[in-house]
Amino acid sequence: MAKHGETPKAETVEKVASVYKKTGSISETALQAEISTTKVRKILITMGLWSSPRSQQIRELSDQGKSSAEIAETLQISIVMVQNYLPYEKGLYDEPQKTDTAMRSEKYRTRNRSYAQKSRSREQQKPDGLPADPETTALIEKKAPYAMQLHLELRDSHLESLSANEAKILAKYGGVAKSISRDIIVPSSLALHQLHFLINVAFGWTNSHLHNFQLPEPLFQTLTAGKFMNIAPVFGYYLQFPNSTFGDAFWDDDYDESKSPRSWMRSKYLKQYKYGGFSEYWIENQAEIHNLAQRIPMLTVHPFRFREKVKPRQVRFEDASLQELLDAIVFDDGMPDALKESLRLNEILSRDPMDIEQAKASALSEDTSAVGLYKHYRDTVVSDARQEKGHRDESAYSHAFGQMVKLQKKYEPKHIMPIATELLYSYDYGDGWEVDITLVREFGKDSQTVDDETAAKVIADLKPICIAKDGLHVLDDCGNVHGYIDMLRTIHEGDRDEAMEMREWARGQGWTGRDVSPKQMI
């Protein structure tokens, strides 16, 4: 039987068309062609020989650019049914069978192309003449290394929070005893950006969607309370202000198709971290905020109130709160509630965190006197970078760039104190995956004796180790926990054709359904 997504052989296609034209019956055609009715229908849809109100409805939504998951949600049907009623994407003849690795690689190529398209759309804002290797690396971790034990738990996966039927499916086929979770011991010097890749590997995702890390809401509210311009120094210290100037959120997206996606992601957290972008530097955050204040001195605030109409009002930028800023401006490059990912874990997590008010005061005491000078050099770099090399003063450009980098490093906060015991990681805003990160234990902090063999190895090798896990891998684009449960139900309890279709789709997403030991998890 042909696999899901694999193009049928030419003789099969011809036989299906011939038999169907004679009999007009999908069932009879399937019997004579010796393939499933699902495959027959899909071939006929592709050839334009068969349609139904349902297939036309699905095709119309697909033509509007909706994904299979979005169509399934709109029509309240399964993703498999959506795919069954869509034509083969690349025609019907002689397409070679793809391996799982090749299919995953294609996902990366598609993602990289979308990033390139997004970058081109920002061509007027993003400098395109900056050096390829600016060597703007964050300060290397200088604190004595220690280890942290983290508990990572997928929200909405706790069996007690699910319906009896869903809990039964997830426990039986998903291998879940309590909730989908991972327990890992990591070096304290691991950056949040590295933790992002580790979480993807640990849970079975492929870095194919946007993500962020956030503080618990009470901490965030305290940290950002007050007039926005008064609390601006917390951006680039703990938080990351959206940056539309450099557009370098994907500064390290260097996927090489000669590697498997998993190997590439593992390399991100197994080697020493060096930040290679611009947007996360503290002084760059301040410059971006000041530029925004200059461009939009008066905000038109559109507060949203459920079941209540509120008239827009004018607020001076310098008087606005963060919430008023969010009610007035649509940010295209992220939201100002995300943590900066160049933060090391020991700069944000602790079993004995610093009082949030004291931490805020420390952040607000940062020296802002050089922001104006930095903006001067920055404006020169941005302006000159957009000009062709032959039309700019290379000496002035190189000088301005060098001074900009020096100021980035000089004014980067040196002694950031951790303020939380828990964080929230969000991945794929469409599916809405969320992972609660809890710091369980610290090993060897403040030169204390390490009595745990695994923790000692993590400290010595500076490489994370998974010590426990609950549940199989999940996967991208399945519709969060409930969609994952539906997938498991279809694979194990659905009819034969639908189960096979779903399993092949899942394999194309990198999911095998195999139980992996904790040691092999990351």
Side-chain angles (χ1 to χ4, degrees):
M1 179 175 288
K3 294 183 178 180
H4 176 66
E6 180 189 346
T7 306
K9 294 180 179 180
E11 54 266 30
T12 301
V13 173
E14 292 169 0
K15 185 163 187 176
V16 165
S18 174
V19 174
Y20 183 74
K21 287 177 180 178
K22 291 178 181 178
T23 66
S25 168
I26 289 179
S27 299
E28 182 61 29
T29 302
L31 287 173
Q32 293 191 35
E34 298 181 338
I35 59 174
S36 70
T37 55
T38 300
K39 297 297 181 185
V40 169
R41 185 188 306 113
K42 197 171 183 73
I43 290 171
L44 295 174
I45 289 173
T46 306
M47 298 181 75
L49 296 176
W50 183 91
S51 68
S52 70
R54 173 67 81 189
S55 71
Q56 292 171 359
Q57 195 176 28
I58 291 172
R59 184 62 181 268
E60 287 174 2
L61 292 173
S62 177
D63 289 343
Q64 293 172 18
K66 292 185 179 293
S67 67
S68 294
E70 291 170 332
I71 296 172
E73 183 178 357
T74 300
L75 301 180
Q76 294 298 296
I77 58 178
S78 70
I79 293 175
V80 168
M81 180 176 287
V82 172
Q83 294 169 340
N84 286 346
Y85 280 88
L86 285 172
Y88 287 101
E89 293 182 356
K90 295 188 177 182
L92 285 169
Y93 296 99
D94 300 324
E95 182 182 278
Q97 180 177 342
K98 296 179 181 177
T99 64
D100 286 351
T101 298
M103 286 187 285
R104 290 195 295 272
S105 294
E106 185 171 327
K107 283 175 65 66
Y108 270 85
R109 289 194 295 272
T110 301
R111 181 172 61 87
N112 289 343
R113 284 195 296 270
S114 70
Y115 289 167
Q117 291 170 358
K118 188 173 184 180
S119 296
R120 286 193 294 273
S121 72
R122 296 174 181 159
E123 192 170 348
Q124 298 303 315
Q125 292 80 33
K126 178 183 174 182
D128 57 6
L130 293 174
D133 184 11
E135 296 186 354
T136 54
T137 56
L139 294 174
I140 302 301
E141 171 65 34
K142 294 182 179 179
K143 299 178 183 178
Y146 60 97
M148 295 177 163
Q149 181 177 330
L150 304 179
H151 178 69
L152 313 175
E153 183 168 310
L154 202 55
R155 279 195 180 178
D156 301 324
S157 70
H158 205 289
L159 296 184
E160 293 182 357
S161 68
L162 299 170
S163 68
N165 187 48
E166 285 188 318
K168 179 182 177 182
I169 294 292
L170 191 58
K172 184 175 181 180
Y173 303 123
V176 176
K178 184 179 179 182
S179 64
I180 301 175
S181 64
R182 312 289 184 250
D183 289 276
I184 57 175
I185 298 180
V186 300
S188 61
S189 59
L190 198 76
L192 286 179
H193 192 60
Q194 292 175 293
L195 183 60
H196 150 67
F197 289 105
L198 189 154
I199 290 174
N200 268 244
V201 172
F203 284 94
W205 298 313
T206 56
N207 186 42
S208 298
H209 300 280
L210 299 176
H211 71 277
N212 67 39
F213 291 90
Q214 294 176 307
L215 288 168
E217 188 64 19
L219 293 182
F220 176 76
Q221 291 298 334
T222 301
L223 192 63
T224 57
K227 292 183 179 181
F228 177 72
M229 290 303 291
N230 292 344
I231 58 95
V234 304
F235 291 94
Y237 196 94
Y238 289 116
L239 303 175
Q240 171 65 45
F241 194 76
N243 190 296
S244 61
T245 300
F246 291 105
D248 57 357
F250 307 111
W251 63 271
D252 67 336
D253 198 356
D254 55 357
Y255 174 66
D256 180 354
E257 293 176 24
S258 66
K259 299 178 181 179
S260 72
R262 177 182 169 86
S263 296
W264 176 73
M265 289 190 291
R266 290 185 75 245
S267 72
K268 294 296 183 179
Y269 59 80
L270 292 179
K271 63 184 180 183
Q272 188 180 59
Y273 177 77
K274 293 183 179 181
Y275 176 59
F278 297 92
S279 301
E280 293 197 18
Y281 281 100
W282 178 82
I283 200 166
E284 170 60 31
N285 275 255
Q286 303 312 302
E288 189 74 7
I289 290 170
H290 280 75
N291 275 357
L292 185 63
Q294 289 174 355
R295 292 201 312 270
I296 316 175
M298 186 66 70
L299 299 173
T300 302
V301 179
H302 299 267
F304 173 77
R305 299 290 184 272
F306 186 65
R307 292 181 178 176
E308 179 184 352
K309 289 186 178 181
V310 181
K311 292 183 179 180
R313 54 193 174 85
Q314 299 293 305
V315 178
R316 292 191 305 172
F317 196 104
E318 61 192 59
D319 295 328
S321 66
L322 176 59
Q323 185 56 58
E324 287 171 328
L325 189 69
L326 294 174
D327 288 339
I329 298 175
V330 177
F331 291 96
D332 294 327
D333 302 276
M335 291 289 286
D337 59 355
L339 289 164
K340 60 183 281 186
E341 293 190 17
S342 54
L343 283 172
R344 310 282 175 161
L345 292 184
N346 56 24
E347 294 177 317
I348 192 66
L349 287 174
S350 174
R351 291 294 300 161
D352 184 25
M354 188 178 192
D355 176 74
I356 186 62
E357 292 286 4
Q358 289 182 314
K360 181 177 180 178
S362 179
L364 298 185
S365 69
E366 287 294 309
D367 182 4
T368 61
S369 62
V371 174
L373 180 61
Y374 174 82
K375 282 178 80 280
H376 166 73
Y377 289 124
R378 178 187 192 258
D379 291 345
T380 299
V381 168
V382 171
S383 176
D384 287 356
R386 289 175 178 153
Q387 299 182 34
E388 295 182 7
K389 284 191 174 183
H391 294 83
R392 70 186 182 202
D393 186 335
E394 292 296 336
S395 177
Y397 171 72
S398 297
H399 173 72
F401 183 80
Q403 292 301 310
M404 186 182 83
V405 171
K406 285 181 180 179
L407 290 171
Q408 286 174 342
K409 294 182 178 180
K410 180 178 179 180
Y411 287 92
E412 188 67 2
K414 306 297 192 299
H415 305 289
I416 302 174
M417 299 303 294
I419 55 176
T421 57
E422 298 177 346
L423 300 174
L424 174 65
Y425 172 80
S426 299
Y427 174 76
D428 184 357
Y429 307 147
D431 274 6
W433 296 102
E434 293 181 322
V435 177
D436 287 306
I437 304 168
T438 304
L439 175 59
V440 177
R441 187 178 174 187
E442 296 167 321
F443 303 90
K445 187 177 181 180
D446 299 326
S447 302
Q448 294 180 352
T449 302
V450 180
D451 56 3
D452 184 282
E453 184 177 338
T454 303
K457 181 173 177 57
V458 169
I459 294 171
D461 298 342
L462 295 180
K463 294 180 180 180
I465 296 175
C466 182
I467 59 173
K469 61 92 179 175
D470 190 0
L472 305 178
H473 281 132
V474 293
L475 67 165
D476 281 304
D477 303 328
C478 66
N480 206 304
V481 173
H482 299 288
Y484 174 63
I485 292 171
D486 185 54
M487 184 198 82
L488 292 174
R489 180 189 293 110
T490 300
I491 287 175
H492 295 282
E493 297 182 357
D495 67 61
R496 184 173 178 274
D497 286 344
E498 191 175 49
M500 184 171 293
E501 291 278 349
M502 181 65 86
R503 183 177 290 278
E504 290 305 315
W505 173 81
R507 287 183 69 240
Q509 297 289 85
W511 186 85
T512 64
R514 292 194 297 266
D515 194 8
V516 179
S517 69
K519 289 184 178 181
Q520 301 299 318
M521 187 64 66
I522 58 173

